[in-house]
């Protein structure tokens, strides 16, 4: 049996509702946030009662969800990058480590980077210990995140199913599934009939180019609402006194010895004691200003959403031959994506041939997709590391901490990344959960390479 | 679509090519030591702007083509053979 990590009864466990309405998230009106909220008083700001109260006044008197402060001269900790990771780091630094003076500097708008561009899949189905324990911690944080933030991040544990199409693939699924269970993570190996019962709309016909043999399911995996994650974290961090400063690009650094004394920004120079980078695809660009070269390349990844349709896909399904994965949003659009465009890019947009490739893989997996229209496509720039695993920890500069190398899987890491990064910045040393995800693993030959693809960032 | 001018075949769309990667790296000698090899295998400049890179013309003449391309705009600034020194604006 699968070891159950959810059964504590304490989490909100926003489960998908298995009704005709399909994947509608159960709404969660949380009670009181656990941490003391200075400005909010004793009633939770967001509850069914406040909703009714504000409805009666025409929704004109809601408070700003977060302040828009002018940057101060100096902060104890500066986090560069206002995506999910930066916000989560600031939130945990303030709420768990008692750091009082924190700024998050964001060059554009909050959550406008990959946090707002991803396909929102959350899972912890990793084989290697370094990744498994870290992502499992993150998944556990997701399970309590809506209540913790008093903000419904619409985390929906609808299950993540990887399809297997050959004996070799099923063997490797069995290996990974067993590794997951040994690490206390839920995993189920499904045969063809079980997959068919779960996702009958796949191509199970005689003509299927890649017949489905079975699959590996992580029932606790699922999706979350990306914007809600950014907004919920921002609001919670703001209530703990974090200054979220948007339209503030870090453009350079003032050094004293091997320390960063201040950052130069589009809104003036700001001093800091410690500084953390959480800028995803822009890490290389920013590090170059410090003369650092990193084991990272920046690549563009695209995704698409279809016109909205009635409930059809109530889990996350990934193709096992081509690179294709799909889920259905609460609005009904099928959200899907595939591979990188493959060439280095900071462009936040890709090319059509890759979209065609992704869709042909999708149609081969789910023939009925051919009837759907694509509503939008977009791209985000990914920090692809040389072994496909993240880098969270110390840097060659004394007071600089790095959070990067997320490849195209960093959304699921959002709370876990913030949690270990906050610990690392607060204590000056990595937490056991990220100590093996250090930058120096590359020079020490301790790569964390899940697929065994070697030092080619676009192959991970 | 990115259009890449192969020095042998002329302008072709990038679908005919396989991306190889950074063309500024020089393979160290076998006995160069761990630091030089670490540099070569793992570290990249990863510039936002002009990037010197190799693409292989796999669906054409199969030559390795050197390309100077802007990673922010995808504009191809120059192309040449693997041995050419490229400068923006021409070969
Ligand atoms: C198409 C696509 C699909 C994806 N699908 C998934 C998925 O299904 N599941 C999953 O787990 N992950 C997925 N990812 C990956 C995931 O989105 C990222 O790994 C994650 O969101 C990274 O979060 P972040 O906070 O580190 O980065 P971001 O959200 O990108 O935040 C970094 C911020 O830093 C800012 N910044 C950059 N430079 C500067 C500067 N000089 N000064 C100030 N600010 C700066 C940027 O504006 C940006 O807002 C996907 C990504 C993409 C693009
Ligand atoms: Zn050619």
């Amino acid at each position: 049996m699968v070891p159950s990590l959810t059964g504590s009864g304490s989490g909100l466990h926003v489960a998908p509702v298995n009704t005709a309405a399909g994947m509608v998230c159960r709404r969660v009106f949380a009670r009181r946030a656990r941490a003391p909220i200075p400005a909010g008083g004793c009633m939770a700001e967001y509850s069914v009662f406040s909703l009714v109260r504000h409805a009666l006044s025409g929704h004109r008197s809601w408070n700003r969800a977060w302040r828009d402060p002018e940057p101060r001269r100096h902060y104890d900790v500066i986090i560069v990058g206002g995506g999910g990771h930066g916000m989560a780091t600031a939130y945990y630094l303030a709420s768990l480590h008692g750091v009082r003076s924190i700024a998050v500097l964001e060059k554009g708008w909050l959550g406008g980077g990959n946090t707002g561009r991803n396909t929102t899949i959350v899972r912890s189905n990793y084989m290697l210990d370094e990744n498994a324990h870290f992502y499992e911690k993150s998944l556990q944080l997701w399970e309590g995140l809506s209540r913790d933030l008093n903000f419904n991040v619409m985390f929906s544990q609808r299950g993540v199913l990887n399809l297997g199409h050959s004996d070799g693939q099923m063997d490797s699924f069995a290996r990974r599934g067993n590794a997951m269970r040994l690490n206390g993570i839920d995993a189920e190996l499904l045969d063809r009939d079980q997959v068919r019962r779960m996702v009958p709309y796949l191509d199970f016909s005689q003509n299927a180019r890649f017949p489905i043999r079975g699959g590996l399911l992580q029932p606790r995996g699922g999706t979350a609402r990306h914007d809600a994650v950014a907004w919920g974290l921002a609001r919670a961090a703001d209530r703990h006194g974090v200054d979220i400063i948007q339209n503030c690009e870090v453009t350079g650094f003032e050094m004293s010895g091997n320390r960063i004394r201040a950052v130069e920004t589009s809104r003036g120079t700001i001093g800091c004691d410690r500084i953390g980078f959480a800028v995803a695809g822009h890490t290389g660009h920013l590090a170059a200003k410090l003369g650092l070269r990193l084991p990272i390349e920046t690549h563009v990844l695209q995704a698409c959403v279809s016109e909205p349709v009635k409930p059809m896909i109530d889990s996350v399904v990934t193709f096992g031959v081509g690179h294709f994965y799909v889920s259905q949003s609460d609005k009904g659009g099928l959200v899907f994506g595939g591979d990188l465009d493959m060439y280095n890019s900071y462009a936040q947009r890709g090319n059509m041939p890759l979209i065609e490739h992704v869709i042909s893989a999708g149609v081969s997996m789910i023939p009925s997709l051919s009837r759907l229209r694509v509503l939008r496509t977009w791209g985000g720039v990914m920090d692809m590391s040389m072994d496909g695993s993240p880098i969270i920890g110390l840097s060659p500069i004394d007071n600089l901490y790095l959070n990067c190398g997320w490849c195209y899987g960093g959304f699921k890491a959002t709370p876990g990344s913030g949690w270990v990064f906050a610990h690392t910045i607060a204590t000056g040393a990595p937490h056991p959960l990220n100590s093996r995800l250090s930058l120096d693993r590359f020079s020490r030959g301790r790569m964390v390479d899940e697929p065994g693809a070697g030092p080619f960032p676009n192959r991970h | 679509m990115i259009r890449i001018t192969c020095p042998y075949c002329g302008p072709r769309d990038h679908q005919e090519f396989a991306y190889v990667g950074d063309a500024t790296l020089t393979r160290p000698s076998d006995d160069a030591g761990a630091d030089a090899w670490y540099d070569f295998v793992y570290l990249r400049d990863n510039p936002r702007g002009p990037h010197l890179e190799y693409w292989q013309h796999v669906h054409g003449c199969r030559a390795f083509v050197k390309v100077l391309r802007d990673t922010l705009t995808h504009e191809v600034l120059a192309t040449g053979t693997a041995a050419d020194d490229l400068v923006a604006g021409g070969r």
Side-chain angles (χ1 to χ4, degrees):
Chain A
M1 273 313 292
V2 184
S4 166
L5 292 157
T6 48
S8 63
S10 65
L12 272 175
H13 196 122
V14 187
V17 182
N18 291 323
T19 64
M23 59 292 313
V24 178
C25 258
R26 186 171 290 152
R27 289 273 166 180
V28 175
F29 295 106
R31 292 158 303 255
R32 189 173 163 181
R34 242 182 269 148
I37 295 179
C42 65
M43 274 279 286
E45 254 182 289
Y46 297 92
S47 68
V48 69
F49 304 109
S50 65
L51 194 64
V52 170
R53 201 170 58 242
H54 284 288
L56 295 175
S57 57
H59 292 296
R60 278 185 293 266
S61 50
W62 288 99
N63 286 330
R64 271 192 85 100
W66 52 86
R67 295 163 297 130
D68 183 24
E70 282 301 312
R72 279 189 256 150
R73 276 240 177 78
H74 181 276
Y75 290 92
D76 291 352
V77 177
I78 285 181
I79 305 294
V80 189
H85 291 211
M87 303 304 312
T89 305
Y91 168 64
Y92 289 121
L93 270 172
S95 65
L96 298 182
H97 299 280
V99 178
R100 285 281 149 259
S101 139
I102 307 171
V104 176
L105 308 183
E106 166 55 49
K107 74 172 175 171
W109 67 94
L110 200 150
N114 295 340
T115 298
R117 293 163 191 268
N118 77 95
T119 46
T120 75
I121 299 167
V122 175
R123 56 188 173 88
S124 62
N125 54 359
Y126 285 83
M127 184 175 73
L128 302 178
D129 290 352
E130 294 87 339
N131 282 328
H133 294 299
F134 167 72
Y135 283 108
E136 177 55 25
K137 169 71 186 176
S138 194
L139 186 53
Q140 290 175 13
L141 288 168
W142 276 110
E143 285 170 337
L145 198 62
S146 289
R147 185 174 63 179
D148 197 17
L149 301 178
N150 178 222
F151 202 105
N152 187 1
V153 299
M154 298 171 76
F155 180 46
S156 160
Q157 292 178 297
R158 56 186 66 183
V160 173
L161 174 66
N162 304 139
L163 298 176
H165 308 263
S166 66
D167 289 346
Q169 207 163 16
M170 291 309 296
D171 286 349
S172 79
F173 280 178
R175 179 177 178 225
R176 177 151 57 95
N178 281 324
M180 287 166 62
R181 284 184 172 211
L182 287 171
N183 277 325
I185 301 168
D186 59 320
E188 284 173 32
L189 196 63
L190 307 186
D191 63 22
R192 179 179 163 93
D193 289 337
Q194 289 169 307
V195 171
R196 190 172 195 159
R197 274 199 294 280
M198 185 178 159
V199 282
Y201 45 81
L202 303 185
D203 190 352
F204 289 98
S205 73
Q206 294 298 314
N207 308 329
R209 172 74 182 80
F210 301 104
I212 293 162
R213 286 288 174 78
L216 183 64
L217 175 69
Q218 184 181 22
R220 285 165 61 243
T223 59
R225 168 94 179 116
H226 48 18
D227 289 333
V229 172
W231 300 334
L233 284 166
R235 195 185 74 97
D238 177 271
R239 294 298 183 273
H240 281 94
V242 172
D243 279 2
I244 299 166
I245 302 168
Q246 302 181 70
N247 299 311
C248 182
E249 177 168 4
V250 172
T251 53
F253 302 91
E254 280 180 15
M255 304 295 293
S256 82
N258 193 34
R259 297 176 67 79
I260 298 172
R261 191 177 58 210
V263 294
E264 291 155 9
T265 79
S266 52
R267 295 177 67 172
T269 300
I270 309 173
C272 60
D273 293 341
R274 277 165 288 173
I275 174 167
F277 283 2
V279 293
H282 293 88
T283 310
H285 180 64
L286 213 52
K289 295 180 192 294
L290 290 161
L292 291 181
R293 296 171 82 225
L294 296 173
I296 284 184
E297 279 183 8
T298 297
H299 285 257
V300 59
L301 180 71
Q302 304 189 72
C304 319
V305 65
S306 77
E307 60 187 326
V309 289
K310 289 196 171 168
M312 170 182 174
I313 298 179
D314 62 357
S315 58
V316 177
V317 195
T318 74
F319 197 31
V321 187
H323 204 147
F324 177 83
Y325 51 87
V326 64
S327 65
Q328 188 167 18
S329 82
D330 295 330
K331 282 188 280 188
L334 302 193
V335 180
F336 55 93
D339 234 328
L340 296 172
D341 270 42
M342 289 294 163
Y343 43 82
N344 290 49
S345 173
Y346 281 83
Q348 290 191 323
R349 67 186 154 75
N351 269 289
M352 285 316 281
L354 201 278
I355 298 288
E356 188 182 354
H357 174 83
V358 167
I359 290 177
S360 63
V363 170
S364 145
M365 182 175 116
I366 309 177
S368 56
L369 285 190
S370 66
R371 307 278 298 277
L372 277 183
R373 278 171 237 261
V374 171
L375 205 63
R376 276 196 313 277
T377 73
W378 63 91
V381 295
M382 327 297 320
D383 33 341
M384 301 300 299
S385 69
M386 284 285 173
D387 62 359
S389 295
I391 299 165
I392 330 168
L394 313 182
S395 83
I397 293 174
D398 292 344
N399 60 342
L400 171 67
Y401 302 88
L402 290 177
N403 177 317
C404 57
W406 293 103
C407 302
Y408 35 80
F411 179 70
K412 62 176 152 352
T414 302
S417 157
W419 198 88
V420 298
F421 200 40
H423 175 99
T424 306
I425 294 175
T427 63
H431 187 273
L433 285 172
N434 64 319
S435 62
R436 302 273 293 275
L437 297 170
S438 61
L439 177 62
D440 70 1
R441 72 177 182 266
F442 296 95
S443 55
R444 288 163 182 253
R446 289 208 311 247
M447 266 54 73
V448 184
D449 186 344
E450 288 275 338
F456 305 98
N458 54 2
R459 288 190 203 160
H460 288 284
Chain B
M1 194 76 78
I2 301 173
R3 208 186 295 161
I4 296 171
T5 303
C6 171
Y8 305 105
C9 313
R12 300 297 177 96
D13 80 50
H14 81 275
Q15 282 292 90
E16 291 188 15
F17 296 81
Y19 183 68
V20 180
D22 193 328
T24 63
L25 305 164
T26 309
R27 187 188 168 90
S29 65
D30 288 353
D31 57 1
D35 287 349
W37 276 96
Y38 167 61
D39 252 51
F40 172 68
V41 176
Y42 294 109
L43 299 186
R44 299 291 178 265
D45 288 338
N46 191 21
R48 187 174 83 177
H51 184 232
L52 206 54
E53 58 203 23
Y54 291 121
W55 293 70
Q56 191 186 5
H57 197 186
V58 286
H59 297 300
C61 63
R62 299 200 62 83
F64 280 77
V65 179
K66 200 183 259 182
V67 178
L68 185 65
R69 187 181 57 93
D70 191 317
T71 58
L72 194 54
T73 62
H74 295 169
E75 185 188 1
V76 173
L77 305 167
T79 63
T81 66
D84 284 343
D85 286 327
L86 297 188
V87 283
R91 276 215 260 157

